[in-house]
Structure formats: structure tokens, C-alpha cells
Amino acid sequence: MCVIIVKDNNKIIEDKILIASSLINPDGLGVLWLDTYKVDKIPSVDYDVLRTKRPFIAHFRYATVGKINLANCHPFSIDDHNLLFQNGTIKNLGNKKQTDTQHMAEILSRCDRRD
């Protein structure tokens, strides 16, 4: 199963956690930088970008649904203000090309936020 790491300011994630996350979840790394709200999608082996004091949410992907490529790394945009990360598989969503999580983000993008 994928790994999501949420990191506060001024803390450093231990190397052993980053290395294990990369090895167990080799199918890509999505990072939301919480100081800029910029998203980067990179290979899992490039986890060294997470050796920083910057705050972030990182998702190491273990592909279950959807093609293995950087475009299928989390997070996925729901709208201008919301992104979706998740672990696990959402039954009956996604296909050979698209992840279940991206499919869910598309469904949520069509919903009224008040719902």
C-alpha cells in the first residue's frame, strides 16, 4: 500500500523512512509543498528532495490501478483549492490507464462543495 507523509516546518524525515518508502512504493512520488502549494511529481528514487525543512505532504505510489507513470502520481486536483491524496483502492474506479484516485477526483470535481 502507498505511503503518505505529512511533514511540519523545521523537521527532517529520517533517511530510513524515506528509503523504505521509496523501495516499497517504487511507482512514483507526488509532493505538495505546503509553503508554496506547488505540486511536483517525480520518480520514487528521487526521494532526496524530501530531505528538507520545508513543510510538505508526500505520496509514494504503489500502483494497483492505472498505468505506472508520473501523471498517475497523487495528488490529483479536484478544483482550484482542493487536492486528493489517498491510500488503498477504490472499487470500480479507474482503468488500465487512469488511477482510481484520479477518477475519484474527477467525480468530486463535479460535485457541489456543499454536498
Side-chain angles (χ1 to χ4, degrees), residues 75-84 105 113:
F76 296 101
S77 179
I78 295 172
D79 57 33
D80 291 340
H81 305 286
N82 295 285
L83 298 167
L84 178 63
R113 260 187 104 175

Side-chain angles (χ1 to χ4, degrees), residues 46-58:
D46 293 338
Y47 62 84
D48 58 326
V49 302
L50 301 179
R51 290 181 177 136
T52 179
K53 290 186 177 183
R54 292 177 68 189
F56 62 77
I57 302 173

